[in-house]
């Protein structure tokens, strides 16, 4: 019997922030990519702290919010991702949502995926960014499968704080190939200069790494660009994406945007019993179990 050689272990590093609009717009492709690589890679998220503690406060918060609303709407024009009907403010800090997202990883991948997704939705669906610990924890309370008391404890722990601090530092050591000369996208992902005089990864950026080889795909990119990077690095690793039925997709993900419906599902849409939550430019589709505890459909 011919033995199939084992493929090498590939690490995927996702540089992101729960409150980043380009990362939110990349969710459909990232969900598809994670499904196509499931069980074949180690996927690790690095929380980069887009909104930091030491950022200067805006001289005119209302004017900054108005500018940011237009900025997010412009990004939605490229990605098709929902944006909120009304944004209450620009996020003051990424630390609380990043700590909660990192703490959720201690409860397994499925819980971590749902928690991060809900934190993203606080900005781009609800219009109130989870920029305090209270808001971040409140946003995910009651989520199926989540031990909320444990999450609250872990998010306040020194261990999780140190992990997010390490994430922030790692994000400010970008690989040389993202420092200049990038194109091919409305958000090509060239590394950003920092107040300290260095650089950090633009968000989102995916780094695929195996042994001494790597491929970096920065910014907002198509499925084909991610698939090509994986194939160049490790031929045969990527499985063919499988579109799910409407019911199976809702069961798996809990919430779906229209771009995700188009990329991840097949067959008639919308399914029976799906709950529709309105945003500023289209619906967020919710599994009934998700809708029962989602801030978009339940009073808080």
């Amino acid at each position: 019997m011919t033995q199939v050689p084992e493929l090498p272990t590939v690490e995927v590093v996702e540089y992101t922030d729960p409150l980043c609009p380009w990362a939110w717009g990349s969710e459909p492709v990232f969900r598809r990519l994670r499904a196509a690589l499931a069980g074949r890679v180690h996927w690790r998220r690095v929380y980069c702290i887009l909104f930091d503690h030491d950022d200067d406060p805006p001289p005119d918060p209302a004017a900054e919010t108005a500018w940011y609303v237009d900025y997010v709407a412009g990004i939605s024009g490229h990605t098709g991702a929902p944006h909120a009907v009304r944004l209450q403010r620009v996020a003051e800090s990424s630390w609380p949502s990043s700590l909660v997202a990192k703490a959720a990883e201690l409860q397994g991948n499925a819980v971590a995926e749902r928690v991060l997704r809900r934190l993203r939705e606080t900005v781009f669906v609800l219009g109130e960014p989870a920029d305090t610990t209270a808001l971040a924890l409140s946003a995910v309370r009651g989520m199926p499968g989540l031990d909320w008391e444990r999450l609250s404890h872990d998010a306040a722990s020194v261990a999780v704080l140190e992990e997010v601090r390490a994430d922030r530092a790692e994000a400010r050591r970008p690989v040389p190939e993202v420092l200049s000369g990038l194109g091919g996208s409305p958000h090509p992902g060239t590394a950003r200069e920092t107040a300290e005089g260095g650089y950090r990864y633009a968000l989102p950026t995916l780094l695929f790494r195996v042994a001494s080889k790597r491929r970096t795909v920065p910014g907002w990119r198509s499925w084909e660009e991610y698939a090509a990077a994986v194939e160049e690095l490790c031929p045969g690793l990527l499985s063919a994406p499988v579109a799910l039925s409407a019911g199976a997709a809702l069961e798996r993900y809990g919430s779906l945007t229209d771009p995700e419906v188009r990329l991840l599902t097949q067959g008639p849409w919308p399914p029976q019993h799906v709950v529709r939550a309105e945003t500023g430019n289209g619906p967020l589709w919710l599994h009934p179990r998700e809708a029962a505890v989602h801030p978009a459909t339940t009073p808080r």
Side-chain angles (χ1 to χ4, degrees):
M1 180 176 178
T2 303
Q3 288 190 336
V4 178
E6 290 188 8
L7 294 170
T9 301
V10 175
E11 182 185 38
V12 183
V13 187
E14 178 187 349
Y15 296 94
T16 192
D17 186 284
L19 310 181
C20 172
W22 285 109
W24 168 241
S26 298
E27 279 282 278
V29 172
F30 283 11
R31 280 181 158 181
R32 189 184 194 194
L33 188 62
R34 284 194 294 270
L37 291 171
R40 297 174 173 85
V41 302
H42 172 60
W43 190 298
R44 179 170 64 91
R45 285 195 179 91
V46 174
Y47 292 104
C48 300
I49 310 298
L50 181 61
F51 301 97
D52 215 338
H53 287 322
D54 56 2
D55 290 345
D56 293 332
D60 186 341
E64 184 190 44
T65 299
W67 173 85
Y68 197 68
V69 165
D70 289 342
Y71 174 69
V72 171
I75 292 172
S76 292
H78 292 295
T79 67
H83 59 74
V85 173
R86 178 179 177 272
L87 181 66
Q88 295 191 17
R89 64 183 178 281
V90 179
E92 294 184 5
S93 174
S94 293
W95 281 96
S97 58
S98 297
L99 290 166
V100 168
K102 183 66 71 174
E105 294 177 2
L106 298 174
Q107 298 188 41
N109 289 336
V111 168
E113 296 286 348
R114 292 289 182 94
V115 166
L116 176 57
R117 174 63 175 227
R118 183 73 66 79
L119 293 169
R120 296 197 196 281
E121 290 169 351
T122 65
V123 190
F124 306 109
V125 175
L126 304 175
E128 184 176 15
D131 56 359
T132 70
T133 300
L135 287 172
L137 290 172
S138 176
V140 300
R141 188 163 196 152
M143 183 175 289
L146 173 68
D147 184 335
W148 189 84
E149 296 294 340
R150 179 186 175 187
L151 181 73
S152 303
H153 176 270
D154 290 339
S157 70
V158 172
V160 168
L161 175 60
E162 289 304 314
E163 285 192 49
V164 177
R165 283 175 172 167
D167 280 1
R168 182 189 180 280
E170 180 180 341
R172 282 151 181 79
R173 298 191 297 269
V175 294
E177 52 263 38
V178 302
L179 295 179
S180 63
L182 301 176
S185 167
H187 175 50
T190 305
R192 301 291 196 251
E193 291 192 47
T194 66
E196 298 89 353
Y199 292 89
R200 69 157 173 83
Y201 284 102
L203 308 181
T205 290
L206 290 192
L207 190 152
F208 303 90
R209 182 164 49 204
V210 58
S212 60
K213 301 186 296 181
R214 70 177 179 231
R215 295 292 185 276
T216 308
V217 188
W220 185 65
R221 300 287 172 171
S222 67
W223 159 262
E224 288 75 16
E225 289 173 276
Y226 292 110
V230 173
E231 183 64 19
E232 289 173 8
L233 186 66
C234 192
L237 180 70
L238 191 68
S239 66
V242 177
L244 301 174
S245 68
L250 277 174
E251 186 70 33
R252 178 169 184 168
Y253 294 114
S255 73
L256 290 163
T257 64
D258 274 349
E260 289 168 333
V261 170
R262 291 191 291 270
L263 192 63
L264 303 174
T265 73
Q266 62 181 351
W269 189 275
Q272 196 174 19
H273 306 309
V274 70
V275 178
R276 176 179 175 134
E278 297 301 333
T279 75
N281 63 326
L284 179 73
W285 303 99
L286 298 170
H287 189 287
R289 186 171 57 247
E290 184 80 7
V293 295
H294 198 288
T297 51
T298 58
R300 291 275 162 163

